[in-house]
Amino acid sequence: MTSMLQIIELPAVASTNSELKDRSANQNLANWTVLSAKSQSAGRGQAGNTWETEPDKNIICSIFFRPHNIAADKQFILSKAIAVGIVRYLDSVGIAATIKWPNDIYVGSKKICGILIENTLIGNKINTSIAGIGLNLNQSVFSDRLPNPTSVKLETDQSFDRVKETEKLALSVQKSISTLSENSYEIINSDYHNLLYKKGILSLFKAKDHLFQGTIISVSDTGPITIVDETTKESQQFYFKEVEFCIGSE
Ligand code: BTN
């Protein structure tokens, strides 16, 4: 049985992740509390980046939950499950999206959604998880600073109700996470690899200052990606930031 979502809607926050983190530190938050905001002034992204979002246009939310029995070194399985849940939600609005390792959701070669997951640990287990999701919904004009943004509106030519869609998205993420606790990680891993951006497709990558052609094979539950180098035929594991896609040049 999965529990009901407890959705909190706020007009404005600095960051839904930070707000939810503060609340979880100060009170006993109900499992599956979702904090959603109309606008966010200091949205945080991966690797210390900021996340910009036009007020009242997009899904900006953070989902608090207590995972069942997930080892600290397998934290990335949560990222896989969350990403699969987001792709399933996008499928329900008619968008075929893929998961770009490590943490982005793409439509073609454009980014539609970013994810920032922050976990706390007790011993070698995950205690709480906050899954922050910024999903471009009704925004159709983006800053020139962003390399390749898209939105549900740009992809489908339709506008959606932000609050209703936030709930649908959170439910889809919850459903995907519950697959993890009831079974092994096999279902999520198979879904994740089917949805993985550029998996099995020869692509151009950059590692340190070296450009190479390679093919993604898999992503482990601990996070690194395995890529086979086309020239040397050797497979190599890369951790976050050790390799990047050369998008648009492949
Ligand atoms: C990224 O692509 O770099 C991740 C972006 C994550 C943005 C979301 S918006 C809701 C939540 N609150 C934050 O401060 N960040 C996440």
Side-chain angles (χ1 to χ4, degrees), residues 51 65 100 115 119 121 235:
W51 182 258
F65 62 98
K100 180 169 164 282
I115 310 166
N119 298 323
L121 308 178
S235 80

Side-chain angles (χ1 to χ4, degrees), residues 15-27 29 35 44 62 64 116-120 128 130:
S15 151
T16 56
N17 265 40
S18 305
E19 177 69 30
L20 203 48
K21 209 194 278 181
D22 287 352
R23 291 186 183 209
S24 68
N26 295 324
Q27 57 185 276
L29 266 192
L35 195 124
R44 294 187 288 117
S62 299
F64 169 90
L116 179 67
I117 302 169
E118 297 182 291
N119 298 323
T120 62
T128 65
I130 291 177

Side-chain angles (χ1 to χ4, degrees), residues 12-58:
V13 287
S15 151
T16 56
N17 265 40
S18 305
E19 177 69 30
L20 203 48
K21 209 194 278 181
D22 287 352
R23 291 186 183 209
S24 68
N26 295 324
Q27 57 185 276
N28 192 14
L29 266 192
N31 202 13
W32 297 104
T33 297
V34 180
L35 195 124
S36 154
K38 202 173 191 171
S39 75
Q40 183 172 254
S41 55
R44 294 187 288 117
Q46 295 285 325
N49 290 329
T50 56
W51 182 258
E52 292 175 32
T53 185
E54 199 179 319
D56 206 15
K57 288 269 162 90
N58 300 320

Side-chain angles (χ1 to χ4, degrees), residues 1-4 31-32 68 174 178 181-182:
M1 258 294 283
T2 44
S3 39
M4 293 265 295
N31 202 13
W32 297 104
H68 295 288
Q174 184 187 44
S178 70
S181 33
E182 287 156 22

Side-chain angles (χ1 to χ4, degrees), residues 34 106 126 240:
V34 180
Y106 265 49
I126 299 179
F240 307 131

Side-chain angles (χ1 to χ4, degrees), residues 88-172:
R88 295 262 177 272
Y89 159 73
L90 285 168
D91 194 50
S92 78
V93 293
I95 293 177
T98 59
I99 302 163
K100 180 169 164 282
W101 179 86
N103 262 314
D104 293 334
I105 307 296
Y106 265 49
V107 183
S109 54
K110 293 181 175 168
K111 179 163 169 172
I112 195 163
C113 175
I115 310 166
L116 179 67
I117 302 169
E118 297 182 291
N119 298 323
T120 62
L121 308 178
I122 290 187
N124 64 353
K125 292 271 188 290
I126 299 179
N127 179 38
T128 65
S129 183
I130 291 177
I133 303 171
L135 190 146
N136 300 329
L137 192 68
N138 296 323
Q139 186 167 342
S140 49
V141 180
F142 289 89
S143 149
D144 294 340
R145 285 188 303 272
L146 298 173
N148 54 348
T150 190
S151 66
V152 174
K153 165 91 189 189
L154 287 174
E155 297 297 325
T156 63
D157 240 347
Q158 285 177 63
S159 292
F160 289 83
D161 181 298
R162 180 183 63 80
V163 174
K164 272 193 205 138
E165 297 309 305
T166 302
E167 181 174 4
K168 278 174 58 187
L169 170 69
L171 280 170
S172 182

